[in-house]
Structures are given as structure tokens and as C-alpha cells.
Amino acid sequence: MDKTAAIESFLGEYGLTELQISTILKLFESYLADNSIAKKDGVFEVCPKCGKVHPMIVKGGKAGSGKQMYRCTHCGRRFTEDHGTIMHYSHQGDDAWKVLMMDTINGVSLKKTSEILSLNIETVFSMRHRFLCSLEKHADNMKVSGNVQLDETFVSGSHKSRHIEGKALKDDGKTLKTRGVSKEKVCLATMVDDNGSAFARSYNAGQLTSKEALNLASHIAGSCSMTTDGTSVYDQLASATGSFHRKTEDRKDSKAEVNLNRINSFHSVIKSYYRHYRGVASKYINRYASMFAYAWNVNKVVKEGERYEHALSTVRKDGISLTGDEIRDYRLYAPADLIYRTA
């Protein structure tokens, strides 16, 4: 017996007329339909205004931007469907956001996306970085497991779009180095597992240290089989996570029994994005690092036709509602070694 038939049977026990029962059933079906629309993808499992769990949500007119609004019958307050997501402060519709998300994942330039959408490049910048900030938040809870490969890759530090007064090389024209790696290079600590999951984040400029590598512990699900190159940087991490630690004898030997093929492939993807973008501003590097890892994950485990829905579900769950000004200052990455010293 479906819900409508159950309600009809229940009302019949109270001696209501057919007209009265029919009227109540129409209202019941209308509420069910509205609530089903409002709660699609689990958007309103909790009322964003009053916090009630599994609220009854009904349509509540249109916003000035034309977006559908909904009303919580518990608190009576209204809100748009995208309340609290990256689309909250946006006047752009789902079609524009679909293009933006897919262009970002596919490495399309801001200029090209702005031309496709016929939008100002500043608007597209704001949309892209809302998406990137949401992916960075999503990466906060990202974990790898099983057979995990770990290694670092390095990208050039960049003050792209930022004018530096009196910019000068450090130490009388010599680049500062640590263990053979320039401290003008941004170090990306990366991990991939055999399930297609990847993680990338920068904690420093120059060579990764054992202390900085320990930051990766929160992104490893329990003990695992950990494969690294011949350095001792990850020894403490392996001990802290109770992982079995294997080291390659030759990191460049792709045919060796113990190799880093998967993570080398991930690094190639990162470098490809980086070349395509002609570098990214270092202050935004962790936003892009999260996108590189997300794109790697999606391309490995999600069918092409389902990638937008996957991205949309991700930002609905971990989306961040930020204004344009807030986006530019959100969780900026700026280690002191990447800030030019003036002459």
C-alpha cells in the first residue's frame, strides 16, 4: 500500500466525505512533491536557518534573482535552494556553473571560460575560486588507504598578478637552497593509493622535512603499505601511522618490483596543469592542489558523463558560501620563504 492509499484509508475511518478526503489528499501530494524537490540530493536534510533535522520544506516564491525560494514550516523562514553552497551569492544558473566546474577540472583558462559564458573575467574568477575553495575544504577530509605511494613534486613560486616593489634576488643574487632544492620552489606533498584516490598539499617551500611530512597522517586511513623513495623524510610518518614502509631502490625504474609509477603519473598531471596555466599564484596553490587531486580521483573512478553530478554533489556537501572579497583572502598560502625580500 502506497502512502496516498494509506492516508485515504486512515481518513476514511473518521467518517470524512469523499470530497473532504480528496481535498486533504491533494494537499498531501502537493506537500510531498514540493518537499521532494526541495530536498533533492539531500540539500535540506537540515534547515539552514533553524537547524531542524529532516524539516518539512515547501516552496516560498521567487528571489529577486529569479531563483526558487523555499520555506521551512518549522521556523517559517525562507531561503534559496543553494543556501550555504558556492552558488549562494551567484546570479548565474546551473548551466553556467556546469560549464565553470567542467572547464576548471579540464584545465580551460579563465579567459576561454569567460568567452564561453559571455561573462566578465572577474565574475568567472570569483566562480572558479568558490569552486576551488570548496574542493580544498573537501580535501580536508580526504584519506588514502591500502597501498599508498608518497613523494614530493616541486613547482615554481609565483606572485602572479601581484606587483612586488623593489623585487630582488636573495643573498646577493644567489637563490636560497635547502638540501639541493631552491626555497623559491613550492613543495607539494602528494599521495596516491591503488583505489584511484589522491591527495596533494603544500606545507613549505623547499625540501619537505620529517616534521612537515607528519601533517599527512590525518589523511591516511589507519595503517597502510607505504611506498616512498630512498629518503628518510617519511620514516616518522610511517611510525606514527603504524604503516609498513617500503623504499624504492631506483625511483626512476618503472619496471622495478617496488616502484612509484602511480605517483609519478600524478605528478605528470600536476605539471601538465601547471604548464597549461603558465603557473598559478603561490598564495592559491593549495586550492589548485586540491583540484589536481580531485581531477585525478574523478578521472580514475567516475564515468565522464557523471562527472558534473559528482562535482555538484561534492560542493553541495563541502561547498563554501563566500562573497567575492572573502574569496580573495580565504586560507591564503604564503610561507615566508616565497615572499621576495627588497634590496
Side-chain angles (χ1 to χ4, degrees), residues 275-329:
R275 285 194 301 271
H276 186 75
Y277 288 137
R278 296 183 181 179
V280 300
S282 295
K283 62 182 178 180
Y284 299 138
I285 189 60
N286 279 333
R287 299 181 186 179
Y288 280 94
S290 299
M291 189 275 289
F292 300 153
Y294 177 78
W296 170 269
N297 298 339
V298 166
N299 291 338
K300 290 288 184 181
V301 302
V302 181
K303 295 179 181 178
E304 186 173 354
E306 300 174 358
R307 288 172 188 170
Y308 171 64
E309 291 300 327
H310 188 280
L312 187 63
S313 176
T314 299
V315 297
R316 285 197 186 283
K317 179 181 177 182
D318 294 312
I320 297 177
S321 180
L322 298 170
T323 64
D325 291 338
E326 291 171 337
I327 287 169
R328 293 185 178 276
D329 296 326

Side-chain angles (χ1 to χ4, degrees), residues 143 150 152 189-191 199 201-204 207-220 226 232-243 245:
K143 293 182 183 292
L150 300 90
E152 315 92 65
T190 59
M191 304 187 292
F199 177 81
R201 185 160 291 178
S202 182
Y203 302 104
N204 68 306
Q207 186 65 52
L208 187 71
T209 67
S210 297
K211 182 178 180 180
E212 288 156 349
L214 286 173
N215 288 307
L216 297 172
S218 61
H219 299 285
I220 298 175
M226 184 182 295
S232 59
V233 170
Y234 300 102
D235 289 348
Q236 291 185 35
L237 176 64
S239 178
T241 57
S243 299
H245 190 189

Side-chain angles (χ1 to χ4, degrees), residues 44-182:
F44 297 133
E45 289 298 324
V46 177
C47 173
K49 294 293 187 177
C50 68
K52 181 174 176 57
V53 179
H54 301 303
M56 174 62 75
I57 306 294
V58 297
K59 288 182 178 179
K62 297 280 188 177
S65 62
K67 292 181 180 180
Q68 179 65 54
M69 297 199 71
Y70 296 94
R71 180 172 60 84
C72 170
T73 58
H74 180 73
C75 66
R77 300 171 70 182
R78 298 194 308 159
F79 43 84
T80 57
E81 180 184 2
D82 55 21
H83 183 92
T85 72
I86 63 173
M87 304 176 187
H88 186 200
Y89 291 108
S90 174
H91 293 290
Q92 309 309 318
D94 289 347
D95 290 343
W97 276 100
K98 180 176 182 178
V99 171
L100 183 282
M101 290 181 189
M102 291 300 96
D103 278 4
T104 300
I105 292 172
N106 294 328
V108 178
S109 68
L110 284 173
K111 182 179 179 181
K112 182 65 175 178
T113 302
S114 69
E115 291 173 354
I116 293 172
L117 295 176
S118 298
L119 294 173
N120 184 284
I121 197 166
E122 286 295 322
T123 300
V124 177
F125 173 91
S126 178
M127 293 172 69
R128 169 170 287 184
H129 279 264
R130 288 186 196 181
F131 182 46
L132 293 177
C133 288
S134 296
L135 292 181
E136 186 178 358
K137 180 184 176 185
H138 174 70
D140 289 344
N141 299 315
M142 183 67 186
K143 293 182 183 292
V144 295
S145 60
N147 296 313
V148 181
Q149 296 181 5
L150 300 90
D151 198 8
E152 315 92 65
T153 190
F154 300 89
V155 294
S156 298
S158 172
H159 295 276
K160 197 174 182 179
S161 77
R162 175 183 172 190
H163 177 67
I164 306 295
E165 293 289 347
K167 184 175 76 172
L169 290 176
K170 302 174 182 179
D171 285 3
D172 298 323
K174 295 181 181 180
T175 302
L176 288 179
K177 291 188 176 182
T178 173
R179 285 164 49 186
V181 178
S182 169

Side-chain angles (χ1 to χ4, degrees), residues 10-24:
F10 173 77
L11 294 176
E13 296 178 2
Y14 288 87
L16 298 180
T17 66
E18 291 186 5
L19 177 60
Q20 290 172 324
I21 293 176
S22 175
T23 301
I24 292 173

